Amino acid sequence: MRAPDWLTARPVAHRGLHDIARGIVENMPAAAQAAVDGNFAIECDIQLSSDGEAMVHHDNALGRLTEGSGALLGKTAAELKAVKFKDTPERMMTLGDLCALVAGRVPLVIEVKSHFDGDRRLVKRMAEVLAAYDGPAVGMSFDPDQVLALRELIPTRARGIVAEREYTAEEWPEASVEQRRGMTHLRHAFWSRPDFVAYWVNELPAAAPWIARNIFGLPLLSWTVRTPEQRQRAARYADQMIFEGFHPGT
């Protein structure tokens, strides 16, 4: 399906409009609210709990930004909803919580995190949540199989591939050699059929996203824009930026 025009209409706040100096941690409720207040789309991550809930969190495990420790996959949604972000009173959200907070006021760009094991329970739960949500939302993933799952399970929502130039075993230990090879140069695109591409800004321009954008007409987002140089690169080679660390209005 065609990616919606709103996808590139406004800058996308990476994991919400977070600012650790003000005690606003990525992917927590205050970061989402700050993005709503600034009228920015929200990029967020979802992870699977042990009981099949979609939790709004980037890391596979607790501890970097939150209290506690252990893999999210080993904990129930109730246990994870009790987890506090460090030095804040705020707790981890489910995707349903985030949808209730945003209430359609700004778009959601939801990244499906993957263990590259073919498990589609996270996309299935995402489909259930979004079926009851009228607001603008799209899904995306680094894992082409999850993009295919988005196409099959949520066909009425646009889906995208998050990509970069190369995938090393050190950075992608859960992906097999074959999976990593298939992810390079968007080789999978003819079967995963993404509606948009989100590409690492430091590697733009690159042939694969150029072809996707200019030959096949797919919108191109750039991640993650943090510096003036990256902002200039995104403006030159992409349709919109996923940003953090500054306010685009300044």
Side-chain angles (χ1 to χ4, degrees):
M1 65 180 299
R2 183 178 183 274
D5 292 340
W6 53 254
L7 181 64
T8 57
R10 290 280 292 156
V12 182
H14 186 236
R15 304 176 193 169
L17 197 62
H18 56 92
D19 183 353
I20 198 67
R22 296 195 295 129
I24 302 176
V25 181
E26 64 183 51
N27 278 326
M28 82 176 194
Q33 185 60 56
V36 171
D37 294 342
N39 192 30
F40 298 114
I42 298 168
E43 187 270 351
C44 67
D45 308 281
I46 57 172
Q47 295 270 5
L48 189 68
S49 69
S50 64
D51 53 350
E53 186 57 88
M55 307 302 301
V56 180
H57 200 64
H58 174 271
D59 298 359
N60 293 340
L62 302 177
R64 180 175 67 94
L65 298 170
T66 67
E67 297 176 353
S69 62
L72 272 68
L73 261 178
K75 300 181 185 296
T76 66
E79 290 172 326
L80 293 171
K81 281 172 65 70
V83 170
K84 288 184 179 180
F85 288 90
K86 290 179 179 178
D87 302 318
T88 82
E90 295 211 296
R91 301 172 189 269
M92 194 182 299
M93 296 182 287
T94 66
L95 179 58
D97 294 332
L98 177 62
C99 289
L101 187 160
V102 174
R105 291 175 290 172
V106 297
L108 297 177
V109 181
I110 304 163
E111 182 181 339
V112 177
K113 306 305 283 188
S114 174
H115 296 279
F116 294 90
D117 56 1
D119 188 345
R120 296 186 172 188
R121 287 180 296 160
L122 184 54
V123 173
K124 181 179 178 181
R125 179 56 184 154
M126 177 179 168
E128 293 169 348
V129 173
L130 293 185
Y133 185 64
D134 292 331
V138 296
M140 62 182 186
S141 182
F142 274 99
D143 184 350
D145 184 66
Q146 298 299 327
V147 178
L148 181 60
L150 288 167
R151 177 162 67 90
E152 293 176 350
L153 297 175
I154 318 178
T156 59
R157 303 272 186 175
R159 62 267 167 190
I161 186 72
V162 192
E164 55 189 339
R165 187 169 293 157
E166 64 177 337
Y167 303 85
T168 65
E170 291 74 23
E171 292 185 348
W172 300 91
E174 294 180 305
S176 68
V177 173
E178 292 76 14
Q179 286 173 316
R180 294 196 306 273
R181 184 181 298 115
M183 290 159 65
T184 58
H185 308 304
L186 303 181
R187 289 188 177 106
H188 55 80
F190 288 103
W191 60 265
S192 63
R193 293 168 56 187
D195 300 309
F196 65 92
V197 175
Y199 210 82
W200 188 22
V201 65
N202 286 357
E203 294 182 340
L204 291 175
W210 187 93
I211 291 170
R213 183 190 188 203
N214 294 284
I215 303 301
F216 293 99
L218 304 187
L220 179 60
L221 302 177
S222 58
W223 58 269
T224 300
V225 174
R226 299 182 176 94
T227 69
E229 188 278 332
Q230 289 173 328
R231 191 171 182 178
Q232 292 174 359
R233 186 183 294 264
R236 182 174 181 181
Y237 297 113
D239 298 299
Q240 191 52 269
M241 64 178 174
I242 301 173
F243 74 94
E244 73 172 25
F246 66 94
H247 195 293
T250 60

